């Protein structure tokens, strides 16, 4: 589900349909004065349109593209700056920080700002922690979740802590095991 707002008013909305093609929406916007670019802001949710709007309001409402970019830059610099590399070549540092960046991309936050998420049975549930997608179980638990746990305690990010709780809830809803049965294939793939 998503909620979107644009910097220009929408003039027309059409749904052109060609046989055998997916449904798409075609938007025409009224032009503004000057050369201002079109900005589109989205709020997403796996639960509902209302939650997508709530996520949008909490994370984006009233912010410009430049403000969101600056917040994202500061967030990534804060994450990557938790480890300071000394020594090595510039290329080795690029490689290290590229790998560290990738370690933060998964597991992904799955709950909305109000704590709601879709559980293993496809029902809306609510947790007192941030619900994450399952981590890869192909040997990465030996290092990636440990890394996240070492870098972030619950006061700062809580990702390692919340990933553990998410896994516990997910396994509990499956009878206490995580063998992949009933899991969404996208959650299990590397």
């Amino acid at each position: 589900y998503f909620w979107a707002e644009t910097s220009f008013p929408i003039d027309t909305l059409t749904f052109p349909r060609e046989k055998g093609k997916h449904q798409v929406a075609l938007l025409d916007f009224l032009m503004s004065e000057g050369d201002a670019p079109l900005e589109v802001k989205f709020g997403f949710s796996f639960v509902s349109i209302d939650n997508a709007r709530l996520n949008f309001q909490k994370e984006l409402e009233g912010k410009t593209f430049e403000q969101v970019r600056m917040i994202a830059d500061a967030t990534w610099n804060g994450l990557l700056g938790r480890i300071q590399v000394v020594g090595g070549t510039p290329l080795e540092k690029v490689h290290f920080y590229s790998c560290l960046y990738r370690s933060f991309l998964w597991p992904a936050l799955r709950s909305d700002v109000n704590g709601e998420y879709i559980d293993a049975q496809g029902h809306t549930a609510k947790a007192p922690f941030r619900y994450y997608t399952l981590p890869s179980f192909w040997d990465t638990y030996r290092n990636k979740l440990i890394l996240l746990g070492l870098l972030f305690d619950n006061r700062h990010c809580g990702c390692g802590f919340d990933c553990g709780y998410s896994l516990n809830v997910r396994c509990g809803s499956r009878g206490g095991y995580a063998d992949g049965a009933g899991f969404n294939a996208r959650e299990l793939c590397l």
Side-chain angles (χ1 to χ4, degrees), residues 140-165:
T140 62
Y141 70 92
R142 295 177 191 265
N143 51 32
K144 182 175 178 177
L145 293 180
I146 301 301
L147 174 67
L148 295 175
L150 288 171
L151 291 178
F152 304 103
D153 64 24
N154 199 40
R155 293 171 305 190
H156 294 99
C157 172
C159 181
F161 177 84
D162 288 341
C163 285
Y165 269 107

